[in-house]
Amino acid sequence: AQSVTQLDSQVPVFEEAPVELRCNYSSSVSVYLFWYVQYPNQGLQLLLKYLSGSTLVKGINGFEAEFNKSQTSFHLRKPSVHISDTAEYFCAVNSDRGSTLGRLYFGRGTQLTVWP
Amino acid sequence: SQTIHQWPATLVQPVGSPLSLECTVEGTSNPNLYWYRQAAGRGLQLLFYSVGIGQISSEVPQNLSASRPQDRQFILSSKKLLLSDSGFYLCAWNSATYEQYFGPGTRLTVT
């Protein structure tokens, strides 16, 4: 089974500051990688995904993430955050390549709080 | 476009009572369907997944069961709820893509 580690459970930042949310995964095989965002009492919304190709992927709301195979990392970044970015962020891995029956393995989440 | 519905949105049930949570998907056919549970500070735990009608796979042995009576309907059930069943239950689906799409969730509180 996969394991996904989100190194920070909480990240407080001020508005307009840059932010990086860290994610590492354990896998000896190729993976698909995802970041999801969850606002209070809502479901998860897909922010971005890495399937193949360029290691820098861009998502919605100005977020981007970089896949680093040697470090087995997929850190999420945004150059300037807004108060509306306050939410919980989940990193997820799917290693069932070749099948769309994708069992996602999730990290425990990082609560991003943006202060004015 | 595809949409996914879950109901009820919130539920408060006493210990020992039965449970039935429903998930339906619109706008797609033969989706893979998933039930996750989210407990505070513990991320998401996959409970069940289904690749077709009547086909259920369980990831974690527990007090819950799942059924798929129709192509786009996925039901999570319990005969007798435990306190530890409290949590936020999320249904998800995918089809020809690797990412999963989540429903709005059901908040279950067992008292």
Side-chain angles (χ1 to χ4, degrees):
Chain A
Q2 296 287 324
S3 72
V4 180
T5 302
Q6 291 184 242
L7 296 163
D8 305 297
S9 60
Q10 298 191 36
V11 174
V13 295
F14 287 108
E15 194 172 19
E16 298 183 5
V19 71
E20 179 179 79
L21 306 184
R22 297 179 291 170
C23 173
N24 288 87
Y25 63 93
S26 67
S27 176
S28 60
V29 299
S30 297
V31 295
Y32 297 136
L33 296 158
F34 309 89
W35 275 99
Y36 285 86
V37 60
Q38 184 180 35
Y39 300 100
N41 293 311
Q42 295 186 23
L44 275 68
Q45 179 182 6
L46 182 67
L47 266 182
L48 48 77
K49 61 186 177 185
Y50 172 78
L51 303 181
S52 65
S54 173
T55 57
L56 182 65
V57 293
K58 294 188 182 298
I60 62 172
N61 301 342
F63 283 93
E64 63 181 31
E66 186 159 16
F67 169 56
N68 188 317
K69 186 175 182 179
S70 63
Q71 297 186 8
T72 61
S73 68
F74 190 53
H75 299 334
L76 181 71
R77 292 192 282 262
K78 186 170 182 178
S80 175
V81 294
H82 302 289
I83 289 177
S84 59
D85 292 322
T86 295
E88 189 144 25
Y89 292 79
F90 291 93
C91 180
V93 170
N94 170 0
S95 62
D96 295 331
R97 290 185 75 101
S99 168
T100 57
L101 179 58
R103 278 168 283 185
L104 292 183
Y105 297 88
F106 284 85
R108 292 193 173 194
T110 297
Q111 174 64 44
L112 173 65
T113 302
V114 182
W115 298 99
Chain B
S1 64
Q2 300 89 359
T3 55
I4 178 169
H5 304 280
Q6 287 186 245
W7 61 87
T10 61
L11 191 59
V12 180
Q13 292 284 96
V15 169
S17 64
L19 173 74
S20 181
L21 303 182
E22 189 167 341
C23 169
T24 59
V25 181
E26 296 177 355
T28 187
S29 58
N30 197 31
N32 300 321
L33 295 172
Y34 309 83
W35 277 113
Y36 290 88
R37 177 168 59 199
Q38 185 178 24
R42 298 186 63 183
L44 281 81
Q45 179 186 38
L46 179 63
L47 303 176
F48 302 94
Y49 65 93
S50 171
V51 299
I53 295 174
Q55 301 180 62
I56 308 295
S57 296
S58 174
E59 286 289 300
V60 181
Q62 57 207 320
N63 187 42
L64 302 169
S65 62
S67 62
R68 186 168 175 175
Q70 299 180 37
D71 181 46
R72 290 169 287 177
Q73 184 184 33
F74 204 23
I75 296 173
L76 183 69
S77 304
S78 173
K79 292 182 179 179
K80 289 186 178 181
L81 283 169
L82 306 172
L83 284 174
S84 57
D85 291 325
S86 293
F88 194 48
Y89 288 82
L90 290 159
C91 181
W93 74 276
N94 71 343
S95 183
T97 60
Y98 296 98
E99 62 268 30
Q100 293 176 18
Y101 298 94
F102 286 79
T106 294
R107 173 77 59 192
L108 172 65
T109 303
V110 182
T111 61

